[in-house]
Amino acid sequence: MEVYNDREFVRSYSSKIEYNSHNALYERPATLTLLPDVKGLKVLDAGCGPGTYAELLADRGADVTAVDYSEEMIRYSKERLGNRAKIIKVNLNSYLDQLEDEGFDLILCSMVIHYIKDWRVLFSEFNRVLKKNGLLIFSTHHPFSDFINHKDGNYFETELIKDEWSSYNIVMSYYRRPLSDIFKVLKECDFRTEDVLEPLPLDECREKFPDAYEILSTKPWFICFKAIKEK
């Protein structure tokens, strides 16, 4: 995923997701409905990207730690938030050694985990750094969408697939896995699933991006989860 360390890509990507169909008018509103009142909570933004969620969380009064593996995303987020959040480089593909045990009330992980092959390590680490009864809120590709758009291979296996992002003129790689795997890994890592959202786009999307609205309102694209650490 070296593209996320490319300054020009990061600048373009960061600008587009601020107000586009799939992020701003579809995934983000749905994910935000899963959040409690975060004022005074210690929140980890895991895979913060350009700091969009970190800024929203800080605006709502959260004590935010934002992490990403990309130095360019870290730089962008620091410019955006200044001293309003702690922003550090952390690779979610490995153990989160920089983060202390039970240090957070809530973890928000938006549109990141489909880049991670070993979910058991990641979710076990999420469990470790969350306080008991802490919340894990995350979004990812909808497995049905991934399979519809990439019909080669086996739906029931974890497989690396390649996707052409025509608006950026790049090919992006990520992992496709069955829907049941999400619930299975959550349970194995001592999380209880509390809510699942299959979003619908905001009405504003129909006005601004009618083609995308037609797709997002008739086919699943992303999926959002809220889970609680049980032990």
Side-chain angles (χ1 to χ4, degrees):
M1 304 304 298
E2 287 306 310
V3 67
Y4 282 112
N5 271 316
D6 181 276
R7 184 163 296 189
E8 289 305 314
F9 170 78
V10 169
R11 182 181 294 114
S12 176
Y13 173 83
S14 302
S15 174
K16 286 180 179 179
I17 68 169
E18 289 299 317
Y19 191 75
N20 66 355
S21 56
H22 286 60
N23 298 95
L25 302 179
Y26 179 64
E27 181 270 334
R28 199 175 305 141
T31 298
L32 290 174
T33 66
L34 297 176
L35 287 177
D37 180 1
V38 299
K39 186 175 182 179
L41 297 185
K42 291 184 177 296
V43 179
L44 174 65
D45 183 358
C48 65
T52 306
Y53 275 104
E55 185 174 49
L56 288 168
L57 291 163
D59 286 344
R60 296 183 180 192
D63 180 356
V64 180
T65 297
V67 303
D68 205 285
Y69 91 100
S70 161
E71 292 182 0
E72 280 300 314
M73 289 296 191
I74 292 294
R75 181 188 62 80
Y76 198 99
S77 294
K78 286 182 175 179
E79 289 179 359
R80 179 176 192 153
L81 283 113
N83 61 1
R84 299 177 62 210
K86 179 182 179 181
I87 303 170
I88 57 176
K89 183 177 179 179
V90 172
N91 189 343
L92 298 181
N93 270 298
S94 186
Y95 293 96
L96 312 182
D97 294 335
Q98 303 94 320
L99 306 177
E100 64 178 324
D101 294 356
E102 299 185 354
F104 298 97
D105 301 291
L106 185 150
I107 296 173
L108 176 63
C109 186
S110 168
M111 300 306 298
V112 173
I113 65 171
H114 43 275
Y115 297 121
I116 308 296
K117 185 176 183 179
D118 191 343
W119 279 8
R120 282 163 182 79
V121 170
L122 178 64
F123 280 74
S124 293
E125 284 293 276
F126 281 166
N127 182 289
R128 178 182 64 80
V129 304
L130 269 177
K131 299 175 183 177
K132 187 175 181 181
N133 298 321
L135 294 178
L136 170 61
I137 295 170
F138 65 94
S139 58
T140 188
H141 288 187
H142 199 299
F144 294 170
S145 174
D146 279 349
F147 190 69
I148 289 170
N149 292 327
H150 305 275
K151 293 184 178 179
D152 294 337
N154 185 341
Y155 169 80
F156 296 101
E157 298 291 334
T158 297
E159 297 177 333
L160 185 66
I161 60 177
K162 296 183 183 297
D163 194 15
E164 183 176 349
W165 286 17
S166 56
S167 58
Y168 299 100
N169 195 31
I170 62 171
V171 175
M172 191 68 74
S173 298
Y174 53 86
Y175 291 94
R176 172 181 66 189
R177 48 178 42 87
L179 180 61
S180 58
D181 268 14
I182 302 177
F183 294 97
K184 183 178 180 180
V185 172
L186 283 169
K187 185 177 180 179
E188 288 178 357
C189 296
D190 295 319
F191 285 100
R192 173 170 52 84
T193 303
E194 183 174 82
D195 206 351
V196 180
L197 293 182
E198 295 177 298
L200 288 171
L202 300 183
D203 288 342
E204 188 177 346
C205 184
R206 175 165 42 193
E207 303 168 8
K208 303 293 185 181
F209 308 100
D211 292 342
Y213 180 86
E214 175 64 23
I215 294 171
L216 297 175
S217 61
T218 57
K219 297 179 178 65
W221 210 262
F222 301 149
I223 189 167
C224 310
F225 286 82
K226 179 179 182 179
I228 299 174
K229 173 181 174 175
E230 293 197 302
K231 58 182 179 179

